[in-house]
């Protein structure tokens, strides 16, 4: 099969020359592309479901629909192998061999059109797949112009007019393509070599196919958003019907969250009675705290997933499709914690003047982000680089503004405090972590708008990054809560009041 490259470009929506809407493309990369195919939700749920083919297909449909709903930037884009990989080099050689073979066939006397005819057949299939249901006239025109039986007869008589067919195909592509592809199609018109022309046609057709997919995604997104909760719940129920123990890890996850909450409430409720400042010999008994609500348990569970590193701990099945997304959020929160800690320490040594300049703050943020990319594996080395660069920037910044530069003692103190951020028990880092945790908890409980109005101190310099992450986290968790709330309610009921029978938990219909 000829090679087709896929890329994404940004453009405005418009209408094609034949009156049909042209598909749109986007330059945005989809969020959370950190997981490999091995860790994809389809593969993980398929493993749970013993890799039954039917289940894998259902999981694949569910995952795609879920991705379209929760990720507004979801698009189909180029996903080629690394250009330096052996696989990529092998594939490239195979494609080159195919096109060389086609060139040899067309150069024969008389020409051999067998490969060319197969290519035209594939081109026809692609063009037909790009048509909208109402475009019957154009469909009939393509059927007539690219009649394979007639073309086969022409090849048998050595009369196949490849340049004429290529010109017709280019006209169709110019009519059907998105505006972003107009230039690419026009460039093909200047190619005279038939082999190079056919190769270019396939490359641009690959882009047009991708554009049509993204156009379709854009149009079905509102429908999916309206019906996503019922759809995802129904598909998950089908999986649960085939495997009743599918919620095992979810139950463990909710049990841990419930235990944490009840332990915390119990410790708060056991306080001795006092009178006039004297501890009574008989403490006033307090009633046991009410069991935590479903919403409280879920919020605790959600926060645990994004705030704690659980190592190889099993992930709840109801959140497997968002595992990579949550891991990315956890990684970003870790980096934001380090960034806020660095800025807080740096500000205390700048007399506050330098941090009144947004340009200076942005410069320090860029430096810190660049130098802490490997913080998770090399914390000491990362913070050593940060401390040297940041201290130099502050020292020079104070000099440039006419203020007293850092003394050797102050500079050494600044470097030391910045390097100490590499330690998990660092007090500044701990305070920042606590405030970030509190902010995310408030976002879930009080909503984003109200939380942003009462932004925690010490985090103002990372407010844009933290607010963006908070929006994504809250929207994702609320969607999950709405989809799986019946299952969560049944699980929590059994956690608080375990069933007496041996039947165990039953699926929620």
């Amino acid at each position: 099969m000829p090679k087709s490259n896929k890329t994404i470009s940004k453009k405005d929506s418009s209408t094609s020359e034949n009156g049909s809407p042209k598909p749109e493309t986007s330059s945005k990369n989809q969020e959370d592309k950190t997981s490999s195919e091995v860790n994809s939700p389809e593969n993980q749920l398929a493993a749970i479901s013993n890799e039954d083919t039917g289940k894998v297909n259902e999981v694949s449909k569910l995952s795609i629909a879920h991705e379209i709903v929760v990720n507004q930037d979801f698009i189909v884009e180029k996903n080629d192998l690394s250009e330096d990989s052996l696989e990529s080099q092998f594939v490239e050689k195979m494609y080159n061999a195919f096109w060389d073979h086609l060139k040899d066939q067309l150069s024969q006397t008389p020409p051999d059109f067998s490969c060319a005819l197969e290519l035209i057949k594939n081109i026809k299939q692609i063009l037909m797949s790009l048509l909208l249901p109402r475009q019957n006239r154009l469909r009939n025109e393509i059927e007539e112009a690219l009649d394979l039986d007639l073309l086969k007869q022409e090849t048998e008589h050595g009369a196949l007019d490849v340049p004429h067919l290529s010109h017709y195909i280019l006209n169709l592509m110019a009519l059907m393509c998105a505006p972003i592809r107009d230039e690419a199609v026009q460039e093909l018109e200047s190619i005279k070599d038939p082999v190079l022309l056919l190769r270019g046609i396939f490359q641009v057709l690959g882009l047009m196919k991708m554009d049509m997919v993204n156009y379709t995604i854009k149009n079905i997104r509102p429908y999916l958003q309206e019906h996503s909760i019922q759809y995802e719940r129904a598909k998950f129920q089908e999986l649960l019907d085939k495997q009743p123990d599918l919620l095992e890890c979810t139950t463990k996850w909710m049990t841990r969250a419930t235990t944490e909450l009840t332990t915390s409430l119990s410790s708060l409720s056991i306080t001795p009675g006092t009178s006039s400042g004297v501890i009574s010999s008989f403490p006033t008994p307090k009633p046991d705290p009410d069991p935590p609500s479903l919403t409280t348990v879920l919020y605790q569970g959600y926060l645990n997933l994004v705030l704690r590193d659980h190592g190889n701990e099993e992930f709840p099945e109801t959140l497997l499709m968002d595992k990579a997304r949550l891991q990315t959020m956890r990684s970003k929160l870790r980096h934001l914690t380090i960034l806020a800690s660095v800025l807080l320490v740096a500000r205390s040594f700048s007399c506050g003047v330098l941090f009144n300049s947004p340009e200076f703050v942005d410069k320090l943020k860029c430096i810190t982000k660049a130098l802490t990319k490997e913080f998770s594996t090399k914390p000491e080395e990362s913070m050593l680089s940060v401390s040297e660069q940041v201290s130099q920037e502050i020292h020079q910044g104070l000099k440039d503004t006419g203020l007293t530069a850092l003394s050797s003692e102050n500079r050494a103190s600044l470097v030391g405090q910045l390097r100490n951020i590499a330690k998990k028990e660092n007090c500044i880092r701990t305070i920042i972590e606590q405030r970030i945790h509190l902010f995310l908890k408030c976002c879930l409980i009080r909503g984003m708008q109200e939380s942003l109005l009462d932004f925690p101190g010490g985090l103002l310099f990372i407010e844009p990054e933290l607010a963006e992450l908070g929006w994504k986290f809250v929207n994702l968790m609320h969607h999950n809560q709405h989809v799986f709330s019946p299952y969560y309610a049944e699980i929590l009921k059994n956690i608080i009041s375990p069933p007496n029978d041996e039947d165990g938990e039953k699926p929620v219909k």
Side-chain angles (χ1 to χ4, degrees), residues 106-171:
L106 296 180
S107 300
Q108 295 176 13
T109 305
D112 182 352
F113 292 111
S114 56
C115 274
L117 185 62
E118 188 65 27
L119 289 177
I120 293 173
K121 177 182 177 181
N122 289 335
I123 290 172
K124 177 183 178 181
Q125 292 174 344
I126 295 174
L127 289 171
M128 298 292 268
S129 70
L130 296 175
L131 294 175
L132 298 175
R134 64 175 180 272
Q135 294 178 296
N136 294 321
R137 182 189 61 79
L138 191 55
R139 189 184 308 276
N140 294 334
E141 179 186 317
I142 295 174
E143 283 285 3
E144 182 178 347
L146 300 180
D147 187 314
L148 296 177
D149 292 333
L150 180 60
L151 294 177
K152 186 176 181 180
Q153 293 178 16
E154 292 179 0
T155 59
E156 292 173 352
H157 293 84
L160 185 65
D161 192 344
V162 175
H164 172 74
L165 287 173
S166 299
H167 181 70
Y168 173 75
I169 291 169
L170 287 178
N171 287 338

Side-chain angles (χ1 to χ4, degrees), residues 115-368:
C115 274
L117 185 62
E118 188 65 27
L119 289 177
I120 293 173
K121 177 182 177 181
N122 289 335
I123 290 172
K124 177 183 178 181
Q125 292 174 344
I126 295 174
L127 289 171
M128 298 292 268
S129 70
L130 296 175
L131 294 175
L132 298 175
R134 64 175 180 272
Q135 294 178 296
N136 294 321
R137 182 189 61 79
L138 191 55
R139 189 184 308 276
N140 294 334
E141 179 186 317
I142 295 174
E143 283 285 3
E144 182 178 347
L146 300 180
D147 187 314
L148 296 177
D149 292 333
L150 180 60
L151 294 177
K152 186 176 181 180
Q153 293 178 16
E154 292 179 0
T155 59
E156 292 173 352
H157 293 84
L160 185 65
D161 192 344
V162 175
H164 172 74
L165 287 173
S166 299
H167 181 70
Y168 173 75
I169 291 169
L170 287 178
N171 287 338
L172 279 177
M173 292 170 63
L175 185 71
M176 300 169 62
C177 73
I180 194 67
R181 309 300 173 199
D182 288 342
E183 184 177 350
V185 175
Q186 290 174 4
E187 290 176 355
L188 294 178
E189 294 175 354
S190 62
I191 299 177
K192 304 303 180 184
D193 184 282
V195 175
L196 293 178
L197 179 57
L198 286 171
R199 187 168 189 169
I201 286 174
F202 264 98
Q203 290 175 342
V204 177
L205 281 175
L207 299 177
M208 291 172 60
K209 286 174 62 179
M210 180 197 59
D211 293 341
M212 180 55 74
V213 171
N214 289 325
Y215 169 76
T216 304
I217 289 173
K218 178 186 175 183
N219 281 276
I220 67 173
R221 178 174 279 123
Y223 175 84
L224 285 177
Q225 289 174 330
E226 183 179 354
H227 302 280
S228 62
I229 294 175
Q230 295 85 348
Y231 176 80
E232 289 188 40
R233 188 183 297 166
K235 287 299 179 183
F236 190 83
Q237 182 63 52
E238 292 177 10
L239 294 172
L240 191 59
D241 289 339
K242 297 173 182 177
Q243 191 168 346
D245 61 346
L246 188 59
L247 290 169
E248 180 180 353
C249 294
T250 303
T251 301
K252 293 179 181 178
W253 166 65
M254 291 188 63
T255 301
R256 283 191 293 270
T258 305
T259 301
E260 291 173 3
L261 289 169
T262 53
T263 301
S264 175
L265 290 173
S266 297
S267 64
L268 292 175
S269 65
I270 304 176
T271 55
T274 60
S275 177
S276 302
V278 180
I279 299 177
S280 169
S281 303
F282 301 95
T284 303
K286 289 196 174 185
D288 292 336
D290 293 331
S293 67
L294 175 60
T295 299
T296 305
V297 170
L298 290 178
Y299 287 176
Q300 180 68 32
Y302 292 149
L303 289 169
N304 287 346
L305 290 176
V306 79
L307 297 177
R308 300 179 184 176
D309 188 358
H310 298 276
N312 296 324
E313 191 175 287
E314 293 175 314
F315 216 77
E317 297 87 351
T318 53
L319 281 151
L320 270 180
M321 290 186 293
D322 298 309
K323 182 177 181 179
R325 218 182 317 271
L326 289 168
Q327 288 174 336
T328 299
M329 289 181 182
R330 185 166 62 216
S331 176
K332 288 183 178 179
L333 283 174
R334 187 183 301 116
H335 281 88
L336 286 177
T337 299
I338 302 304
L339 177 60
S341 302
V342 169
L343 295 175
L344 194 60
V345 171
R347 186 178 186 277
S348 65
F349 283 83
S350 68
C351 304
V353 177
L354 297 180
F355 275 70
N356 291 332
S357 168
E359 292 78 12
F360 183 81
V361 174
D362 289 340
K363 185 176 183 181
L364 288 191
K365 289 172 73 171
C366 289
I367 291 172
T368 305

Side-chain angles (χ1 to χ4, degrees), residues 29-44:
N29 292 327
Q30 62 181 13
E31 179 197 1
D32 320 313
K33 285 179 63 179
T34 57
S35 61
S36 64
E37 292 184 4
V38 175
N39 293 321
S40 67
E42 296 96 320
N43 287 346
Q44 294 184 52

Side-chain angles (χ1 to χ4, degrees), residues 2-98:
K3 184 178 181 181
S4 64
N5 295 325
K6 296 182 180 180
T7 56
I8 290 295
S9 300
K10 185 177 180 180
K11 64 176 181 55
D12 297 325
S13 59
S14 60
T15 304
S16 66
E17 296 177 18
N18 63 358
S20 63
K22 286 195 173 186
E24 294 190 2
T25 57
S26 171
S27 63
K28 292 184 178 180
N29 292 327
Q30 62 181 13
E31 179 197 1
D32 320 313
K33 285 179 63 179
T34 57
S35 61
S36 64
E37 292 184 4
V38 175
N39 293 321
S40 67
E42 296 96 320
N43 287 346
Q44 294 184 52
L45 282 175
I48 293 174
S49 302
N50 301 321
E51 298 193 8
D52 178 86
T53 303
K55 295 175 185 176
V56 172
N57 290 336
E58 290 302 319
V59 169
S60 180
K61 294 177 184 178
L62 176 59
S63 299
I64 293 173
H66 177 76
E67 189 69 26
I68 292 173
V69 170
V70 301
N71 184 3
Q72 296 299 310
D73 298 328
F74 176 76
I75 52 175
V76 177
E77 61 180 344
K78 183 177 179 180
N79 188 26
D80 291 339
L81 297 169
S82 170
E83 294 182 0
D84 297 328
S85 67
L86 291 175
E87 294 90 342
S88 177
Q89 296 174 19
F90 174 76
V91 170
E92 188 66 28
K93 288 180 179 179
M94 292 296 294
Y95 281 125
N96 288 336
F98 170 83

